[in-house]
Amino acid sequence: MDAEPHILIDEVAERLCRAQGHSPLDYQLAHPEAAVLAAARLSACARSRYAEAVLSKMGADQIVVVGAGLDTIGHRRPQPRPDQVWLVDRAGVLAWRAQLFDEAGLADEARYVSADLEDGFDLRGLEAAGLELSRPVSVVWLGVSMYLTPDLCRRFFAELADLAEGSSLVFDYHVAPELRDDAGREFADAVAAVAGRGGEPWRCSASSELVTGWLADNGWRVEDEIDEAMVTSAGFFDQQEFLSPMRLVRLVHARNQR
Ligand SMILES: C[S@@+](CC[C@H](N)C(=O)[O-])C[C@H]1O[C@@H](n2cnc3c(N)ncnc32)[C@H](O)[C@@H]1O
């Protein structure tokens, strides 16, 4: 979409979009200058790039993507084997995903595990699908926390407390309204209005201290936490016509410290 250097190269996502009559990619290409669209694609690409970097550093061989949607991490480099990836989402979303991959002529061989985080998150469903809980697991939880209540986010971290030592967690969250800059505030207000009308309101935002506390309560230590814009290299935004940083999304890498 934007000028080099690219944050993310995702050919599978492009093929999924191209297989559709009118895709989000068409919409983005038609309006690259629209501030809300530019901020949305920066967020989506930055969080994916961050997770990719963490997973490759960790040498992860059991990857669980929670709230997977159309996440393509199992298809990007360094490419894990399909039997090393579990995709968790609501049953209807997973069925839709399978259909889109099918229509695009793409194999999606990771294991699907249906779960609704509103009902809590039970690791036994993953174990039944072949995940070895005695070995470290890398959990990727991107673009999801904001759709849950703070209480559900805490419950999710509590469920992950039983993962083996050495497990890791990559996720993003929204900073509380008073911690946002103007760009972050404007983007959040614009998207929240549309998402709320569509029945998927943004419900959780927090400070870094709060999130660190939720994690620590459940045996997780923050290894790294950054603003999403920090994913880019120095001078990146000077080279961009449409992308600019905003203060809204924080990216976190935590390790199980038991
Ligand atoms: C914005 S998409 C993010 C998709 C992908 N992880 C990414 O980074 O682009 C949010 C995903 O979270 C899932 N999700 C939201 N609430 C959920 C819930 N209560 N239980 C399970 N999945 C949920 C949605 O179905 C959707 O696939």
Side-chain angles (χ1 to χ4, degrees), residues 44 47-48 65-71 88-90 93 115-118 142-144 147-148 200:
R47 67 185 183 230
S48 295
V65 188
V66 183
L70 298 178
D71 191 294
V88 181
D89 212 307
R90 290 176 168 137
V93 174
D116 190 332
L117 299 177
E118 299 278 345
L142 296 174
V144 189
Y147 294 100
L148 305 179
E200 292 189 316

Side-chain angles (χ1 to χ4, degrees), residues 166-199:
S167 292
S168 69
L169 168 63
V170 182
F171 69 100
D172 56 350
Y173 71 91
H174 285 171
V175 296
E178 66 275 15
L179 300 172
R180 298 171 189 173
D181 62 6
D182 286 345
R185 235 183 324 272
E186 279 160 26
F187 176 66
D189 290 348
V191 177
V194 176
R197 275 201 300 276

Side-chain angles (χ1 to χ4, degrees), residues 152-176:
L152 283 170
C153 290
R154 294 173 66 179
R155 279 175 59 196
F156 178 68
F157 294 143
E159 280 296 340
L160 299 185
D162 289 337
L163 289 179
E165 185 169 359
S167 292
S168 69
L169 168 63
V170 182
F171 69 100
D172 56 350
Y173 71 91
H174 285 171
V175 296

Side-chain angles (χ1 to χ4, degrees), residues 17-167:
C17 287
R18 297 268 180 232
Q20 301 305 306
H22 185 68
S23 77
L25 180 58
D26 296 322
Y27 199 53
Q28 289 273 357
L29 287 166
H31 304 281
E33 75 296 344
V36 173
L37 296 183
R41 68 177 177 269
L42 174 63
S43 277
C45 292
R47 67 185 183 230
S48 295
R49 158 87 170 255
Y50 186 74
E52 207 172 282
V54 169
L55 292 186
S56 103
K57 194 169 104 190
M58 304 287 302
D61 71 348
Q62 295 200 102
I63 301 169
V64 174
V65 188
V66 183
L70 298 178
D71 191 294
T72 57
I73 199 143
H75 297 262
R76 297 194 308 267
R77 304 278 164 209
Q79 197 169 343
R81 293 197 321 259
D83 65 353
Q84 295 175 324
V85 181
W86 288 257
L87 302 174
V88 181
D89 212 307
R90 290 176 168 137
V93 174
L94 291 174
W96 172 68
R97 175 185 172 105
Q99 186 191 333
L100 289 193
F101 272 78
D102 199 38
E103 285 169 10
L106 290 162
D108 192 33
E109 293 166 328
R111 281 172 272 196
Y112 286 17
V113 177
S114 61
D116 190 332
L117 299 177
E118 299 278 345
D119 304 328
F121 180 63
D122 192 341
L123 291 176
R124 279 172 302 187
L126 284 158
E127 193 176 26
L131 186 76
E132 290 179 41
L133 293 176
S134 56
R135 294 200 301 116
V137 174
S138 294
V139 178
V140 179
W141 191 48
L142 296 174
V144 189
S145 66
M146 51 293 292
Y147 294 100
L148 305 179
T149 61
D151 198 43
L152 283 170
C153 290
R154 294 173 66 179
R155 279 175 59 196
F156 178 68
F157 294 143
E159 280 296 340
L160 299 185
D162 289 337
L163 289 179
E165 185 169 359
S167 292

